[in-house]
């Protein structure tokens, strides 16, 4: 997909389709009015007739307007006018309108589309973020699930060019945003493809191969994949405990992005890579168990984000760590009550083998210390409890550094990929007491997502660390079952800030 800016008069634009906005009260947006004057007010008559409701995201295609060079004009509903917002349109409505316009275009033979929608206030969306959002939304809208259906695929869409109307002085910033958004869309599509694959295809080995593939495309990346012998050598007892019941060999993946101009300690990203979570001997109930193929969403997000970072060649050192294995019941599987020793030296009593995510993550978090990182952020579909607490709208943020947590929440807001700061005080950690080991891996039902984070907290002393529980946000169940790509946008926002504003 090619993204462009243009400043010429709309009616003169040589393009397959021009998308303009219509408010719910039937009033045309400024750009729509300009076209309307060229075609003897055909558009305003059409809007007044009421066939087109102009609710947010609704579209109406008009063809062969006299006086307009483009063969098609797409009317895009902007919904009710927002009085509170300084501009006529909120960022949320704008995002829906952009997605709707691109989606409508893909259902036709339109090859090039100009977006002439009113923009939200500058404070809500800077020029650079506008460019990023257009490319990001285009990527999300054009994404097709990588299913394994054998039926003939529907005809591919024709859209190859999207142009955005902006004043000349904004063009440079918008173009910079396009590059960011396109890289984000690629990374997010990679994440989604990996997460959508079934557990028998996307194994730890497959994740390792995918990471090695990235190093072939991007010069800035160095990839190292540890197998069972190396993981044993690292004494990652908790990780080994989870993988011991599985026939699939585990992988510990290290992806390093180095930039010659980057100063200072790296940011380390850590991902939970359970390629299938049966619960182990503490077996899960059958309903929805298939969704546990998504239990490597954190790992997929790390791999996708490293791709984005490399594609943009961010002037920042970033390390991605992935601990990947299956959690299976077996004659050799860990049993409730088993005690294992982590690389850090702490002994852990595994009271519930379904609390396996924290066991693989704690080893990766300990491994991160060798980089003396400036910040460590882990991503994990860690608990059902976070879905009870926050639903599917906010990612849960836990941290031993309030400034880092606040920054991540801020980034989520700016990138429309929201997160919520959860408490993590020492009482929760005290709930992990064990009679037989330094700690247990579970602490009862109450505050389940917080005690899980508290477990990780025992392995992050001395680090500036945050944990994102993405169990509710990284994939959807039900009819639209599939990976969402979250929190890729939040993470990119964070990394861009680290690279360019400190
Ligand atoms: N992968 C699950 C968490 C999960 C649950 C993600 C539902 C997405 C949807 C995790 O490994 C798990 O099983 N957690 C347990 C922890 C419990 C045993 C303390 C849970 O949430 O029930
Ligand atoms: Mn589990
Ligand atoms: Zn799990």
């Amino acid at each position: 997909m090619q993204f462009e800016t243009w400043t010429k008069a709309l009616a003169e634009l040589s393009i397959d389709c021009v998308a303009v906005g219509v408010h719910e009260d039937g009033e045309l947006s400024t750009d729509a009015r300009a076209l309307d004057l060229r075609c003897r007010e055909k558009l305003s008559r059409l809007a007044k007739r009421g066939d087109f409701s102009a609710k947010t995201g609704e579209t109406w295609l008009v063809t062969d307007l006299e006086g307009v060079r483009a063969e098609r004009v797409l009317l895009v509903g902007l919904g009710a006018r927002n009085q509170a917002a300084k501009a006529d349109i909120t960022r949320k409505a704008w995002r829906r309108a952009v997605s709707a316009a691109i989606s409508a275009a893909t259902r036709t033979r339109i090859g090039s589309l100009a977006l002439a929608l009113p923009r939200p206030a500058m404070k809500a969306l800077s020029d650079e973020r506008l460019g990023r959002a257009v490319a990001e939304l285009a990527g999300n809208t054009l994404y097709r699930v990588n299913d394994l259906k054998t039926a003939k695929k529907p005809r591919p869409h024709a859209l190859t060019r999207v142009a955005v109307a902006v004043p000349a002085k904004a063009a440079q910033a918008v173009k910079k945003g396009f590059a960011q958004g396109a890289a984000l869309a690629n990374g997010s599509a990679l994440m989604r493809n990996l997460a959508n694959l079934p557990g028998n295809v996307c194994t730890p080995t497959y994740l390792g191969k995918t990471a090695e593939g990235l190093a072939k495309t991007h010069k800035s990346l160095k990839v190292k994949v540890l197998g069972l012998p190396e993981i044993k050598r690292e004494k990652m007892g908790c990780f080994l405990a989870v993988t011991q019941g599985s026939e699939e060999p585990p992988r510990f993946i290290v992806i390093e992005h180095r930039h010659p101009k980057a100063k200072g300690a790296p940011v380390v990203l850590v991902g939970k890579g359970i390629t299938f979570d049966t619960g182990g001997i503490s077996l899960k109930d059958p309903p929805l168990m298939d969704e546990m193929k998504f239990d490597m969403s954190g790992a997929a997000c790390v791999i996708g984000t490293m791709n984005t970072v490399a594609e943009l060649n961010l002037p920042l050192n970033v390390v991605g760590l992935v601990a990947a294995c299956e959690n299976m019941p077996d004659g050799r599987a860990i049993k409730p009550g088993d005690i294992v020793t982590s690389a850090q030296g702490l002994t852990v009593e595994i009271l519930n083998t379904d609390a396996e995510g924290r066991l693989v993550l704690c080893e990766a978090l300990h491994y991160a210390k060798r980089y003396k990182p400036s910040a460590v952020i882990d991503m994990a579909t860690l608990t059902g409890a976070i879905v009870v607490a926050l639903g599917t709208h906010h990612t849960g943020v836990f941290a031993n550094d309030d400034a880092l947590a606040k920054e991540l929440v801020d980034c989520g807001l700016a990138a429309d990929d929201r997160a919520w700061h959860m408490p993590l005080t020492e009482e929760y950690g005290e709930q992990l007491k064990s009679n037989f080991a330094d700690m247990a891996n579970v602490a009862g039902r109450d505050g389940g997502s917080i005690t899980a984070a508290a477990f990780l907290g025992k392995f992050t002393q001395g680090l500036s660390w945050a944990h994102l529980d993405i169990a509710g946000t990284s994939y959807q169940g039900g009819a639209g079952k599939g990976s969402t790509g979250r929190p890729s946008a939040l993470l990119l926002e964070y990394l861009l800030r680290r690279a360019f504003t400190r």
Side-chain angles (χ1 to χ4, degrees), residues 272 274 277 284 292 295 354 356-357 381-382:
K272 170 180 174 181
I274 300 296
D277 181 11
K284 287 184 182 292
M292 285 302 118
D295 212 19
D354 198 10
E356 85 297 340
T381 45
L382 201 63

